[in-house]
Amino acid sequence: KQVRPSKLDPLTTETYVPSGSTALHDAIGAAIEQALSLKNIYGKDTGVLISVLTDGEENVSRHISASALGEVIPMLEETEVFTFGILGPKKSLNEMAQVLKVKSGNMSDYDFSSVQGRTESITKFSGATASYASLRSMNLKSTESLYDEGSSIK
C-alpha cells in the first residue's frame, strides 16, 4: 500500500519501541519486489531508495536469505536506479555490511543502548532521506554516500 510520507504519524519514543521478532531480510526482499513491479522501473527518470532503519536483529525471515540479498543488492545498485541504505546499531552493522553488500557510504550506525542514541538515529535517517530527495530533485538517480560526507552521486 502506497502512503505519502506526509500522511504518516511521526515516530516517537512512545510509538517506536523496538522489540520482538524481525523479518528484516523478508522486508527488504518485499521492498525490492514491489519496486521491480513498478511500471517503467528502468526508465531514464526513475530512482529507487530502499532505506532500512533497524535494531539489527534478523530472526524470523522465511522467504529470502541474507546470501540471496547479498547477490541481488549489488546487481540492482549497478543499474544506478537503486540505492540501498541501512542505519543500524554498531554491534551488528559490520555483519550486515558483509552479508548484504550495501555500499559503505550508504550505511551508518547508531548507539542502540540509549534513548539519545535511538533519537539521534531517527534524525540521521531523516537527514539521509532528505538528502536523497534533494538529489532526485536534481534528476540524479542514485548515490553511494547517503551517510557519507563524500560525494559519489550518479
Side-chain angles (χ1 to χ4, degrees):
K1 178 177 163 183
Q2 294 182 358
V3 178
R4 292 189 178 279
S6 61
K7 301 288 184 191
L8 297 173
D9 293 329
L11 292 178
T12 67
T13 55
E14 288 80 35
T15 61
Y16 177 69
V17 182
S19 64
S21 302
T22 303
L24 181 62
H25 301 147
D26 285 352
I28 295 169
I32 291 169
E33 197 173 287
Q34 184 173 14
L36 289 173
S37 73
L38 295 173
K39 188 185 246 185
N40 204 23
I41 186 66
Y42 293 109
K44 68 179 181 99
D45 296 324
T46 303
V48 175
L49 172 63
I50 296 179
S51 195
V52 176
L53 173 58
T54 178
D55 64 2
E57 297 297 324
E58 158 47 68
N59 52 16
V60 294
S61 284
R62 294 183 180 166
H63 302 289
I64 190 162
S65 68
S67 60
L69 286 174
E71 291 177 21
V72 169
I73 288 172
M75 288 189 311
L76 291 173
E77 287 180 325
E78 281 182 31
T79 67
E80 296 183 4
V81 169
F82 284 83
T83 298
F84 289 85
I86 298 180
L87 181 61
K90 294 175 185 177
K91 68 180 173 80
S92 57
L93 196 65
N94 287 337
E95 182 182 331
M96 282 191 285
Q98 289 175 350
V99 174
L100 300 179
K101 298 184 175 96
V102 171
K103 294 182 183 327
S104 63
N106 290 344
M107 299 187 78
S108 188
D109 62 23
Y110 69 94
D111 178 9
F112 182 74
S113 66
S114 72
V115 171
Q116 179 181 349
R118 292 189 299 271
T119 302
E120 289 171 358
S121 74
I122 294 169
T123 302
K124 192 184 276 193
F125 188 78
S126 172
T129 304
S131 174
Y132 181 80
S134 176
L135 297 174
R136 291 295 297 131
S137 73
M138 295 183 285
N139 267 349
L140 301 170
K141 294 169 41 169
S142 66
T143 181
E144 297 178 5
S145 56
L146 273 176
Y147 293 105
D148 189 16
E149 293 301 315
S151 180
S152 194
I153 300 161
K154 299 177 181 175

